[in-house]
Amino acid sequence: MTARARYNDIADDLAARDPSIELGQMMGMPCIKAGGKMIIGYESSGEMVFKLPDPKEHEKALGLDGAKLFDPSGKGRPFKEWVQVPAAHESEWPDLAHTAIRLRAG
């Protein structure tokens, strides 16, 4: 399964389980929104990005090999609450997605 297919499976599952979840496009990438705000996305590099405002969850995600702060501009201005996680950790993507969904209210 490709990384994009894995993202699609996760996105479709989340949308089927939670009527407040919308699938869309933001910043030129497919994304998962809640309340009109992007909380998860799929980068063209084959990596998923997650908004993780809880410091412990954020640190845990950044601890994955190759994970980094999401910098959509590529100009050294990363989004501080966002973590970009490579496809090498796609087995972690569903848990990270559920965490991002859970944290969206916080």
Side-chain angles (χ1 to χ4, degrees), residues 4 28-30 41-47 84:
R4 177 59 192 262
M29 70 176 150
Y42 180 78
E43 258 288 307
S44 61
S45 63
E47 300 178 333
Q84 186 169 336

Side-chain angles (χ1 to χ4, degrees), residues 4 7 24-33 38 40-44 47-49 70 72 79 82 84:
R4 177 59 192 262
Y7 165 82
Q25 193 90 1
M26 285 186 98
M27 295 190 292
M29 70 176 150
C31 71
I32 300 167
K33 302 179 200 177
M38 184 173 117
I40 301 166
Y42 180 78
E43 258 288 307
S44 61
E47 300 178 333
M48 280 186 73
V49 297
F70 177 48
F79 290 7
W82 289 79
Q84 186 169 336

Side-chain angles (χ1 to χ4, degrees), residues 16-74:
R17 291 173 184 256
D18 187 339
S20 72
I21 299 297
E22 304 168 54
L23 305 183
Q25 193 90 1
M26 285 186 98
M27 295 190 292
M29 70 176 150
C31 71
I32 300 167
K33 302 179 200 177
K37 295 185 179 183
M38 184 173 117
I39 53 173
I40 301 166
Y42 180 78
E43 258 288 307
S44 61
S45 63
E47 300 178 333
M48 280 186 73
V49 297
F50 305 90
K51 184 175 184 182
L52 301 168
D54 177 88
K56 288 181 184 175
E57 296 295 344
H58 190 264
E59 186 177 326
K60 186 167 114 180
L62 274 178
L64 296 169
D65 189 38
K68 59 188 175 192
L69 291 177
F70 177 48
D71 181 6
S73 72

